[in-house]
Each structure stands twice: as C-alpha cells, then as structure tokens.
Amino acid sequence: MDESKPAGSLRRGWTTGACATAAAKAAYLGWRTGDCPDPVEIVLPGGARPAFSLATSEVREDGARAGVVKDAGDDPDVTHGALVIATIRPGAPGSGVTFRAGEGVGTVTRAGLPLPPGEPAINPVPRQMIRDNLEEAARAVGGPLDVEVEIAVPGGEELAQKTLNPRLGILGGLSILGTTGVVVPYSCSAWIHSIYRGIDVARADGLDHVAGATGSTSEKAVQVLHDLPDHALIDMGDFAGGMLKYLRRNPVPRVTVAGGFAKMTKLGQGLLDLHSRSGAVDLAWLAERLAEAGAEPDAVAAARGANTALEVLETGKRLGVPLGDVVAQHAWRTAAGALRGAAIALEVVVFDRDGRLVGRMPFHPVA
C-alpha cells in the first residue's frame, strides 16, 4: 500500500523523520557502494515500504551525503518543500549509530522533552527508524554500523521561528519528527504534540502556573495579566480538550484557560474542540446567559436574533451587565469537567478582540 495516496480527497505526505531516514539510508549505501540509490526504499514503523527520490547526493572518501525534499502532501506544514540532508561518516569503534545536528536542525536546551538537554532535536522514533534502516542496509552490503549521522535542513533555523521550538527551548532550528513516518492532512498531530511538549517543559522547569490560549491576542493578554514567562504559555488553539486532558494526567498546580469571547462561549456550551467544524456559537444559549447576567427581556429577545457573539457581547457592555463573567463561569465548568480528579486550581479569562479583559472566573480547585 502506498501511504502517500489520498485519504478521501486529500493526499498524505511524509514526516521529516521519514525523509531523514531515506536520506540517511541512501547516504550509507552510497558510502559503502560508491553509488547512492535513487529512489531509495525504507521501511516505516508500520511495515510500509515507500520509495523516495533523491534531490542531491555526493559520495566522499570519508562518507556520503544525500538529500530528500519533504512532501507533506496536502497538509499545511511549514516544512513542506524543505530539503532534508543526511551525511554519513564513519564513527568510533563500538559507538554504534550516533546523531549530530547539522545546519537548520535544533538542539535541546531544556528538560522535559523526549531528549535530554544538549542532544540534537532528532526525536526518538526517527532515530529508531534511521537505526533500523541502516541495519537493513548494513546487512545488505556487509558494512559497519559504527556511524555518525548528521541531519541538516538548510533554512531550518528560519522555518523554526514559525514553530513552537524557540518556546520549548529547542534552539538553532527544526525538530526531526514523526511517529509513523506518514503525515495525515489536517490531523493536527504536530499541534497536539507541541501542546504536550509545552506542558512537559513547564513541569520539568518547576513552573506552578501555565496558561493555554486560543490565539495570539489572548495569549499576549494573559501573559501580561499574570506576568508569565514564555514557556508557561501553551498554544492551545482550538484544542482545549486535548490540553486539559493531558493536564489531568500531568497536572500543573494552576491552569488558566484564556480565549476570545466566541471561543469561550463555545467552551461554555460544553464544546472541548473549539473549531468551527465542531459547532458554532449557539446564540440562543448566549441569549440565556445575557438573561442570567441581568439583562431585560427585550434585550434577551434581540440577542436571540443577533448575527454574531460579538454583537451580544456589545449589548452586554452597553447594558452594564457582566455577560463575560457569566460565560467564563460556564466555560470553567466545562474545563473543570475535563480536569476532574486532578489537583489543579483552574481559572478562565475572556478577552475581546483588542485584548481587553471582558470576563473572568477566578482560580478555584477542580478536584
């Protein structure tokens, strides 16, 4: 089965880990035989055997290098089109397969990630994929397995600024990622992964307060509100449920959920996935919250026919009723349900589009 073929109408792609593995295997075979195979076939963790075309290759006296252009399929991945280069050099006797970060690949500088500080940001599964495929190549040509593998992504340091690597303490470039070798379009697995790693880094650094935000405006506002360091900020996006469920298993003493009014209204309605695909703002529900906040019946009736959540928020402001606080209280109940049983104090804060605080449910224990 060709894993890169469409899933529905969307074309699958390959992770940076799969591309690095293909480049490393081609370079190893080039080093041992004098010719880098093109295309080169690798085995993925699930057993599939895709083939990758080479964009570059070079055999040297002391090793070889090969490069593969990453094809992320139809996924909006910042590394789509990036060149992933592996250089193979002989290693010290008995060293086995060792790894180095080349140009554009980051280095871990904080605890809490799957790799210790000082290690190149080539994650454990890609490392094992590379080892497994080099072992297969070594058996085929009778070569040694004491080798150094350097992975580079030219331009990766600039691309990494569009990821959460700097916040996670991965400096100098990208991470080489992937657990299956396959990118499923719009699965958002990389985003969920970054949420988990952000929480892990905060816990390892001993932070007692993290804040998950739905977007950049609410993130900046909550950072100022609590004077939080960058690595206490979790880019939650629409994945409130994913963040909260991970925190339930890996608790931090204080957690703030921050977001815009419409997103927090959805959370208040009981939605843990805040994306539009999972549901829209229920204006009838929001009108009931306006009544709960103390608005007169005619204003509540008008709110039921409003065009947007923002329109209802402006009505609440004009009437001087605490609609934002009421929405925050309901959002808190939904979030607390996802955290149930954890020793966590939870806060919900709601901001308008300009980053002004319009609603708040203060810290209360969820257990």
Side-chain angles (χ1 to χ4, degrees):
M1 174 183 177
D2 183 352
E3 291 286 352
S4 68
K5 288 185 178 178
S9 61
L10 296 176
R11 190 171 59 88
R12 294 186 174 194
W14 307 111
T15 63
T16 48
C19 295
T21 299
K25 183 176 181 181
Y28 181 91
L29 290 170
W31 172 47
R32 299 310 301 168
T33 69
D35 185 30
C36 295
D38 185 10
V40 60
E41 183 183 275
I42 65 169
V43 59
L44 299 180
R49 300 189 71 95
F52 292 76
S53 297
L54 300 184
T56 183
S57 63
E58 179 186 1
V59 178
R60 306 166 175 173
E61 288 186 9
D62 62 343
R65 66 194 292 271
V68 171
V69 173
K70 177 176 173 178
D71 179 0
D74 290 325
D75 197 62
D77 190 313
V78 299
T79 58
H80 177 70
L83 178 62
V84 182
I85 299 173
T87 301
I88 297 287
R89 303 182 185 92
S95 63
V97 179
T98 59
F99 295 91
R100 280 188 59 187
E103 175 192 357
V105 171
T107 298
V108 176
T109 66
R110 285 194 182 129
L113 294 169
L115 299 163
E119 281 290 310
I122 304 166
N123 266 24
V125 172
R127 289 183 185 220
Q128 192 58 49
M129 286 172 58
I130 292 170
R131 289 190 190 98
D132 291 344
N133 280 271
L134 292 188
E135 286 176 7
E136 181 180 84
R139 287 195 299 270
V141 298
L145 265 178
D146 294 325
V147 294
E148 177 186 89
V149 180
E150 178 184 297
I151 304 298
V153 183
E157 187 166 7
E158 182 178 352
L159 288 175
Q161 300 308 308
K162 301 175 184 178
T163 74
L164 291 179
N165 273 16
R167 182 177 296 174
L168 294 173
I170 299 170
L171 304 183
L174 295 162
S175 297
I176 303 301
L177 301 172
T179 55
T180 65
V182 180
V183 173
V184 178
Y186 295 93
S187 67
C188 300
S189 59
W191 198 325
I192 294 291
H193 172 90
S194 69
I195 289 172
Y196 294 172
R197 299 296 77 81
I199 292 167
D200 291 344
V201 167
R203 282 167 48 87
D205 202 40
L207 296 186
D208 65 358
H209 184 191
V210 298
T214 58
S216 59
T217 298
S218 54
E219 182 178 86
K220 291 174 185 174
V222 75
Q223 183 172 32
V224 171
L225 179 67
H226 287 298
D227 191 25
L228 293 171
D230 285 348
H231 62 296
L233 303 173
I234 309 300
D235 189 3
M236 175 182 75
D238 292 324
F239 302 105
M243 182 189 77
L244 293 166
K245 290 170 186 176
Y246 193 76
L247 281 164
R248 181 184 175 191
R249 302 189 300 271
N250 303 275
V252 174
R254 295 197 303 160
V255 173
T256 297
V257 174
F261 183 72
K263 296 287 188 183
M264 291 299 96
T265 296
K266 289 184 183 183
L267 186 62
Q269 292 168 205
L271 299 176
L272 287 169
D273 181 346
L274 307 181
H275 194 276
S276 57
R277 65 175 173 264
S278 297
V281 169
D282 184 339
L283 290 168
W285 182 90
L286 191 54
E288 292 174 7
R289 305 290 74 76
L290 190 63
E292 188 179 335
E296 296 295 330
D298 57 342
V300 174
R304 290 193 178 92
N307 290 322
T308 64
L310 179 61
E311 186 179 339
V312 182
L313 175 62
E314 292 302 322
T315 296
K317 288 180 179 178
R318 187 176 68 254
L319 296 175
V321 298
L323 175 60
D325 290 340
V326 172
V327 165
Q329 290 163 16
H330 284 268
W332 189 95
R333 290 171 193 154
T334 301
L339 291 170
R340 63 187 180 278
I344 291 175
L346 172 68
E347 173 193 52
V348 171
V349 287
V350 186
F351 299 99
D352 66 14
R353 290 181 176 179
D354 295 320
R356 291 187 292 261
L357 185 67
V358 295
R360 189 172 194 173
M361 175 63 177
F363 287 105
H364 282 83
V366 300

